[in-house]
Amino acid sequence: MNIAIGSDHAGLEMKKEVILILKDLGHDYTDYGTDTPDSVDYPDFGEKVSFAVSTGKVERGILICGTGIGMSIVANKFPNVRAALCNELFSAKMSRLHNDANVLVMGGRIIGKDLAKEIVKTWFATSFEGGRHGNRLKKICLIEDKTKTGVV
Ligand code: RB5
């Protein structure tokens, strides 16, 4: 798969570990930064990755900040993005099975690299179930349309 990945300074070390896993799994990736431990603003990096997913330039995205909360808020502003904050394995699995999440978000200050590695593997190994969950995603698309037109 083609993956966009990004982090702020608080997620940088974990991002380096995740990139190693992406390579192991055979995915192509583009790293949208940050590249140094200097303090940066997570929306700048969340925006780049989310835009790539939103416009279909890549199939999936991975975002990492300190908690994962800020990156999740940013990513879910974008049409077609279904970002899931997963700091444990059950959420990683369910975010794919039920939500067809296309952006995985983790908190670099919350979990360790070994857990992050398992989360990433699980997230890529799990397929969307479809069925009633597909209907629910269609409703999310309708909500996106309503937010654009202002007609609820
Ligand atoms: C940076 O200090 C921190 O606020 C950021 O990484 C993230 O946790 C925001 O949600």
Coordinates of all heavy atoms in Angstrom, one line a residue, residues 8-78:
D8 N 4.6 15.1 14.9 CA 5.2 16.3 15.5 C 6.4 15.8 16.2 O 6.8 14.7 16.2 CB 4.2 17.2 16.3 CG 3.8 16.5 17.6 OD1 4.2 15.3 17.8 OD2 3.1 17.1 18.4
H9 N 7.1 16.7 17.0 CA 8.3 16.4 17.7 C 8.0 15.3 18.8 O 8.9 14.4 19.0 CB 8.8 17.6 18.4 CG 7.8 18.3 19.3 ND1 6.8 19.0 18.7 CD2 7.7 18.4 20.6 CE1 6.0 19.5 19.7 NE2 6.6 19.2 20.9
A10 N 6.8 15.3 19.3 CA 6.5 14.3 20.4 C 6.3 12.9 19.8 O 6.3 11.9 20.5 CB 5.3 14.8 21.1
G11 N 6.1 12.8 18.5 CA 5.9 11.5 17.9 C 7.0 11.1 17.0 O 7.0 10.0 16.4
L12 N 8.1 11.9 17.0 CA 9.2 11.6 16.0 C 9.9 10.3 16.2 O 10.1 9.5 15.3 CB 10.2 12.8 16.1 CG 11.4 12.6 15.2 CD1 11.0 12.6 13.7 CD2 12.4 13.8 15.5
E13 N 10.2 10.0 17.5 CA 10.9 8.7 17.7 C 10.0 7.5 17.3 O 10.5 6.5 16.7 CB 11.4 8.6 19.2 CG 12.5 9.6 19.5 CD 13.7 9.5 18.4 OE1 14.1 8.3 18.2 OE2 14.1 10.5 17.9
M14 N 8.8 7.6 17.7 CA 7.9 6.5 17.4 C 7.7 6.4 15.8 O 7.6 5.3 15.3 CB 6.5 6.6 18.0 CG 5.6 5.5 17.7 SD 4.0 5.6 18.6 CE 4.6 5.1 20.2
K15 N 7.6 7.5 15.2 CA 7.5 7.5 13.7 C 8.7 6.7 13.1 O 8.4 6.0 12.1 CB 7.4 8.9 13.2 CG 7.2 9.0 11.7 CD 7.0 10.4 11.1 CE 8.4 11.1 11.2 NZ 8.3 12.4 10.6
K16 N 9.9 7.0 13.6 CA 11.0 6.3 13.0 C 10.8 4.7 13.2 O 11.2 4.0 12.2 CB 12.3 6.7 13.7 CG 12.7 8.1 13.4 CD 13.9 8.5 14.2 CE 14.3 9.9 14.1 NZ 15.4 10.3 15.1
E17 N 10.3 4.3 14.3 CA 10.1 2.9 14.5 C 9.0 2.4 13.6 O 9.1 1.3 13.0 CB 9.6 2.6 16.0 CG 10.6 3.0 17.0 CD 11.9 2.0 17.0 OE1 11.7 0.9 16.5 OE2 13.0 2.5 17.4
V18 N 7.9 3.2 13.4 CA 6.8 2.7 12.6 C 7.3 2.6 11.1 O 6.9 1.7 10.4 CB 5.6 3.7 12.7 CG1 4.6 3.4 11.6 CG2 5.0 3.6 14.1
I19 N 8.1 3.5 10.7 CA 8.7 3.5 9.3 C 9.4 2.1 9.1 O 9.3 1.5 8.0 CB 9.5 4.7 9.0 CG1 8.6 5.9 8.8 CG2 10.4 4.5 7.8 CD1 9.4 7.2 8.6
L20 N 10.1 1.7 10.1 CA 10.8 0.4 10.0 C 9.8 -0.7 9.8 O 10.0 -1.7 8.9 CB 11.7 0.1 11.2 CG 12.8 1.1 11.5 CD1 13.5 0.7 12.8 CD2 13.8 1.0 10.3
I21 N 8.7 -0.7 10.5 CA 7.7 -1.7 10.3 C 7.0 -1.6 8.9 O 6.8 -2.6 8.3 CB 6.6 -1.5 11.4 CG1 7.2 -1.6 12.8 CG2 5.5 -2.6 11.2 CD1 6.3 -1.0 13.8
L22 N 6.8 -0.4 8.5 CA 6.2 -0.3 7.1 C 7.1 -0.9 6.1 O 6.6 -1.6 5.2 CB 6.0 1.2 6.8 CG 4.9 2.0 7.6 CD1 4.8 3.4 7.1 CD2 3.6 1.3 7.5
K23 N 8.4 -0.7 6.2 CA 9.4 -1.3 5.3 C 9.3 -2.8 5.4 O 9.2 -3.5 4.4 CB 10.8 -0.8 5.6 CG 11.0 0.6 5.2 CD 12.5 1.0 5.6 CE 12.8 2.4 5.2 NZ 14.1 2.9 5.8
D24 N 9.2 -3.3 6.6 CA 9.1 -4.8 6.9 C 7.9 -5.4 6.2 O 7.9 -6.5 5.6 CB 9.0 -5.1 8.4 CG 10.4 -5.2 9.0 OD1 11.4 -5.0 8.3 OD2 10.4 -5.3 10.3
L25 N 6.8 -4.6 6.3 CA 5.5 -5.1 5.7 C 5.5 -4.9 4.2 O 4.5 -5.3 3.6 CB 4.4 -4.4 6.4 CG 4.1 -4.6 7.9 CD1 3.0 -3.8 8.4 CD2 3.8 -6.1 8.1
G26 N 6.4 -4.2 3.6 CA 6.5 -4.0 2.2 C 5.6 -2.9 1.7 O 5.3 -2.8 0.5
H27 N 5.3 -1.9 2.5 CA 4.5 -0.8 2.1 C 5.4 0.4 1.6 O 6.5 0.6 2.1 CB 3.7 -0.2 3.2 CG 2.6 -1.2 3.7 ND1 1.6 -1.7 2.9 CD2 2.4 -1.7 5.0 CE1 0.9 -2.5 3.6 NE2 1.3 -2.5 4.8
D28 N 4.9 1.1 0.6 CA 5.6 2.3 0.1 C 5.1 3.5 1.0 O 3.9 3.5 1.4 CB 5.2 2.7 -1.3 CG 5.7 1.7 -2.3 OD1 6.8 1.2 -2.0 OD2 5.0 1.4 -3.3
Y29 N 6.0 4.4 1.4 CA 5.5 5.5 2.3 C 6.2 6.8 1.9 O 7.3 6.8 1.3 CB 5.9 5.1 3.7 CG 7.3 5.2 4.0 CD1 7.9 6.4 4.5 CD2 8.2 4.1 3.8 CE1 9.3 6.4 4.7 CE2 9.5 4.1 4.0 CZ 10.1 5.3 4.5 OH 11.4 5.4 4.7
T30 N 5.5 7.8 2.2 CA 6.1 9.2 2.1 C 6.0 9.8 3.5 O 5.0 9.8 4.2 CB 5.2 10.1 1.2 OG1 5.2 9.4 -0.1 CG2 5.9 11.4 1.0
D31 N 7.2 10.3 4.0 CA 7.3 10.9 5.3 C 7.1 12.4 5.1 O 8.0 13.1 4.6 CB 8.6 10.5 5.9 CG 8.8 11.1 7.3 OD1 7.9 11.8 7.8 OD2 9.9 10.8 7.9
Y32 N 6.0 12.9 5.7 CA 5.7 14.3 5.6 C 6.3 15.1 6.8 O 5.9 16.3 6.9 CB 4.2 14.5 5.5 CG 3.6 14.2 4.1 CD1 3.3 12.9 3.8 CD2 3.5 15.1 3.2 CE1 2.8 12.5 2.6 CE2 2.9 14.8 1.9 CZ 2.6 13.5 1.6 OH 2.1 13.2 0.4
G33 N 7.3 14.6 7.5 CA 7.9 15.3 8.6 C 7.1 15.1 9.9 O 6.0 14.5 9.9
T34 N 7.5 15.7 10.9 CA 8.7 16.5 11.1 C 10.0 15.6 11.1 O 9.9 14.4 11.4 CB 8.6 17.3 12.4 OG1 9.7 18.3 12.5 CG2 8.6 16.4 13.7
D35 N 11.1 16.3 10.9 CA 12.3 15.5 10.8 C 13.3 15.8 12.0 O 14.4 15.1 12.0 CB 13.0 15.9 9.5 CG 12.1 15.7 8.3 OD1 11.4 14.6 8.3 OD2 12.0 16.6 7.4
T36 N 13.0 16.7 12.8 CA 13.9 17.0 13.9 C 13.2 17.1 15.2 O 11.9 17.2 15.2 CB 14.6 18.4 13.7 OG1 13.6 19.4 14.0 CG2 15.1 18.6 12.3
P37 N 13.9 17.0 16.4 CA 13.2 17.1 17.7 C 12.7 18.5 18.1 O 12.1 18.6 19.1 CB 14.2 16.5 18.7 CG 15.5 16.2 17.9 CD 15.3 16.7 16.5
D38 N 13.0 19.4 17.2 CA 12.5 20.8 17.6 C 11.0 20.9 17.7 O 10.3 20.3 16.9 CB 13.0 21.8 16.5 CG 14.5 21.8 16.3 OD1 15.2 21.4 17.3 OD2 15.0 22.1 15.2
S39 N 10.6 21.7 18.6 CA 9.1 21.8 18.8 C 8.4 22.4 17.6 O 8.9 23.4 17.0 CB 8.9 22.7 20.0 OG 7.5 22.8 20.3
V40 N 7.4 21.7 17.2 CA 6.6 22.2 16.0 C 5.1 22.1 16.3 O 4.7 21.6 17.4 CB 6.9 21.3 14.8 CG1 8.3 21.5 14.2 CG2 6.6 19.8 15.1
D41 N 4.2 22.5 15.4 CA 2.8 22.5 15.6 C 2.2 21.3 14.9 O 2.3 21.3 13.7 CB 2.2 23.8 15.1 CG 2.7 25.0 15.9 OD1 3.1 24.9 17.1 OD2 2.8 26.1 15.3
Y42 N 1.6 20.4 15.7 CA 1.0 19.2 15.0 C 0.1 19.4 13.9 O 0.0 18.6 12.9 CB 0.4 18.2 16.1 CG -0.7 18.8 16.8 CD1 -2.0 18.8 16.3 CD2 -0.6 19.4 18.1 CE1 -3.1 19.3 17.0 CE2 -1.7 20.0 18.8 CZ -2.9 19.9 18.2 OH -4.0 20.4 18.9
P43 N -0.7 20.5 13.9 CA -1.7 20.7 12.8 C -1.0 20.8 11.4 O -1.5 20.4 10.4 CB -2.4 22.0 13.1 CG -2.3 22.1 14.6 CD -1.0 21.6 14.9
D44 N 0.3 21.3 11.4 CA 1.0 21.5 10.1 C 1.3 20.1 9.5 O 1.3 20.0 8.2 CB 2.3 22.3 10.3 CG 2.0 23.7 10.8 OD1 0.9 24.2 10.6 OD2 2.9 24.2 11.5
F45 N 1.6 19.1 10.3 CA 1.9 17.8 9.8 C 0.7 16.9 9.6 O 0.6 16.2 8.6 CB 3.0 17.2 10.7 CG 4.2 18.1 10.8 CD1 4.3 19.0 11.7 CD2 5.2 18.0 9.8 CE1 5.4 19.9 11.8 CE2 6.3 18.9 9.8 CZ 6.4 19.8 10.8
G46 N -0.3 17.1 10.5 CA -1.5 16.4 10.4 C -2.2 16.8 9.1 O -2.8 16.0 8.4
E47 N -2.1 18.1 8.7 CA -2.8 18.6 7.5 C -2.2 17.9 6.3 O -2.9 17.5 5.4 CB -2.6 20.1 7.4 CG -3.2 20.7 6.2 CD -3.0 22.2 6.1 OE1 -2.2 22.7 6.9 OE2 -3.6 22.8 5.2
K48 N -0.9 17.8 6.2 CA -0.2 17.3 5.0 C -0.7 15.8 4.8 O -1.0 15.4 3.6 CB 1.3 17.4 5.1 CG 1.8 18.8 5.0 CD 3.3 18.8 5.3 CE 3.7 20.3 5.3 NZ 5.1 20.5 5.8
V49 N -0.6 15.0 5.8 CA -0.9 13.6 5.7 C -2.4 13.4 5.4 O -2.8 12.7 4.5 CB -0.6 12.8 7.0 CG1 -1.1 11.4 7.0 CG2 1.0 12.8 7.1
S50 N -3.2 14.2 6.1 CA -4.7 14.0 5.9 C -5.1 14.5 4.5 O -6.0 13.9 3.9 CB -5.4 14.9 7.0 OG -5.0 14.5 8.2
F51 N -4.5 15.5 4.0 CA -4.8 16.0 2.6 C -4.5 14.9 1.6 O -5.2 14.6 0.7 CB -4.0 17.3 2.3 CG -4.4 17.9 1.0 CD1 -5.6 18.5 0.8 CD2 -3.5 17.7 -0.1 CE1 -5.9 19.1 -0.4 CE2 -3.8 18.3 -1.3 CZ -5.0 18.9 -1.5
A52 N -3.3 14.2 1.8 CA -2.9 13.1 0.9 C -4.0 12.0 0.9 O -4.3 11.4 -0.1 CB -1.5 12.6 1.3
V53 N -4.5 11.7 2.1 CA -5.5 10.6 2.2 C -6.8 11.1 1.6 O -7.5 10.4 0.8 CB -5.7 10.2 3.6 CG1 -6.8 9.1 3.8 CG2 -4.4 9.6 4.2
S54 N -7.2 12.3 2.0 CA -8.5 12.9 1.6 C -8.6 13.0 0.1 O -9.7 12.7 -0.5 CB -8.6 14.3 2.2 OG -9.9 14.9 1.9
T55 N -7.6 13.3 -0.6 CA -7.6 13.5 -2.1 C -7.3 12.2 -2.8 O -7.3 12.2 -4.0 CB -6.6 14.6 -2.5 OG1 -5.3 14.2 -2.0 CG2 -6.9 15.9 -2.0
G56 N -7.0 11.1 -2.1 CA -6.8 9.8 -2.8 C -5.3 9.7 -3.3 O -5.0 8.7 -4.0
K57 N -4.5 10.6 -2.9 CA -3.1 10.5 -3.3 C -2.4 9.2 -2.7 O -1.6 8.6 -3.3 CB -2.3 11.7 -2.9 CG -0.9 11.8 -3.4 CD -0.2 13.1 -3.1 CE 1.2 13.0 -3.6 NZ 2.0 14.2 -3.2
V58 N -2.8 8.9 -1.5 CA -2.4 7.7 -0.8 C -3.6 6.9 -0.3 O -4.7 7.5 -0.1 CB -1.4 8.0 0.3 CG1 -0.1 8.6 -0.1 CG2 -2.1 8.8 1.4
E59 N -3.4 5.6 0.0 CA -4.5 4.8 0.5 C -4.8 5.0 2.0 O -5.9 5.0 2.4 CB -4.3 3.3 0.2 CG -4.3 3.0 -1.3 CD -3.7 1.6 -1.5 OE1 -4.3 0.6 -1.3 OE2 -2.5 1.6 -2.0
R60 N -3.7 5.1 2.7 CA -3.8 5.2 4.2 C -2.8 6.2 4.7 O -1.8 6.6 4.1 CB -3.4 3.9 4.8 CG -4.3 2.7 4.4 CD -5.5 2.5 5.3 NE -6.1 1.2 4.8 CZ -5.9 0.0 5.4 NH1 -5.1 -0.1 6.5 NH2 -6.5 -1.1 5.0
G61 N -3.1 6.7 5.9 CA -2.2 7.6 6.6 C -1.9 7.1 8.0 O -2.7 6.4 8.6
I62 N -0.7 7.6 8.6 CA -0.4 7.3 10.0 C 0.1 8.6 10.6 O 1.0 9.3 10.0 CB 0.7 6.2 10.1 CG1 0.2 4.9 9.5 CG2 1.1 6.1 11.6 CD1 1.2 3.8 9.6
L63 N -0.5 9.0 11.7 CA -0.1 10.2 12.4 C 0.2 10.0 13.8 O -0.5 9.2 14.5 CB -1.3 11.2 12.3 CG -1.5 11.9 10.9 CD1 -2.9 12.6 10.9 CD2 -0.4 12.8 10.6
I64 N 1.3 10.6 14.3 CA 1.7 10.4 15.7 C 2.0 11.8 16.3 O 2.8 12.6 15.7 CB 2.9 9.5 15.8 CG1 2.7 8.2 15.0 CG2 3.3 9.2 17.2 CD1 4.0 7.4 14.7
C65 N 1.4 12.1 17.4 CA 1.8 13.2 18.2 C 1.9 12.7 19.7 O 2.1 11.5 19.9 CB 0.8 14.4 18.1 SG -0.9 14.0 18.6
G66 N 1.9 13.6 20.7 CA 2.1 13.2 22.0 C 1.1 12.2 22.5 O 1.4 11.1 23.0
T67 N -0.2 12.7 22.4 CA -1.3 11.8 22.9 C -2.0 11.1 21.7 O -2.7 10.2 21.9 CB -2.3 12.7 23.6 OG1 -2.8 13.7 22.7 CG2 -1.8 13.3 24.9
G68 N -1.9 11.7 20.5 CA -2.7 11.3 19.4 C -4.0 12.1 19.2 O -4.7 12.0 18.2
I69 N -4.3 12.9 20.3 CA -5.6 13.6 20.3 C -5.6 14.7 19.3 O -6.5 14.9 18.4 CB -5.9 14.1 21.7 CG1 -6.1 12.9 22.6 CG2 -7.2 15.0 21.7 CD1 -6.2 13.3 24.1
G70 N -4.6 15.5 19.3 CA -4.5 16.7 18.4 C -4.5 16.2 16.9 O -5.3 16.8 16.1
M71 N -3.7 15.2 16.6 CA -3.7 14.7 15.2 C -5.0 14.2 14.8 O -5.4 14.3 13.7 CB -2.6 13.7 15.1 CG -1.2 14.2 15.1 SD -0.8 15.3 13.7 CE 1.0 15.2 13.7
S72 N -5.7 13.5 15.7 CA -7.0 13.0 15.4 C -8.0 14.1 15.1 O -8.8 14.0 14.1 CB -7.6 12.2 16.6 OG -6.8 11.2 17.0
I73 N -8.0 15.1 15.9 CA -8.9 16.3 15.6 C -8.6 16.9 14.3 O -9.6 17.1 13.5 CB -8.7 17.3 16.8 CG1 -9.2 16.8 18.1 CG2 -9.5 18.6 16.4 CD1 -8.9 17.6 19.3
V74 N -7.4 17.1 13.9 CA -7.0 17.6 12.6 C -7.5 16.7 11.5 O -8.2 17.1 10.5 CB -5.5 17.8 12.5 CG1 -5.1 18.2 11.1 CG2 -5.0 18.9 13.5
A75 N -7.1 15.4 11.6 CA -7.4 14.5 10.5 C -8.9 14.4 10.2 O -9.3 14.3 9.0 CB -6.8 13.1 10.8
N76 N -9.7 14.4 11.2 CA -11.1 14.2 11.0 C -11.8 15.4 10.5 O -13.1 15.4 10.3 CB -11.8 13.6 12.2 CG -11.5 12.1 12.3 OD1 -11.7 11.4 11.4 ND2 -11.1 11.6 13.5
K77 N -11.1 16.5 10.3 CA -11.7 17.7 9.6 C -11.8 17.4 8.1 O -12.4 18.2 7.4 CB -10.8 18.9 9.8 CG -10.7 19.4 11.3 CD -11.9 20.0 11.7 CE -11.7 20.5 13.2 NZ -13.0 20.7 13.8
F78 N -11.0 16.5 7.6 CA -10.9 16.3 6.1 C -11.9 15.3 5.6 O -12.1 14.2 6.1 CB -9.5 15.8 5.8 CG -8.4 16.8 5.9 CD1 -7.9 17.3 7.1 CD2 -7.9 17.4 4.7 CE1 -7.0 18.2 7.2 CE2 -7.0 18.4 4.8 CZ -6.5 18.8 6.0

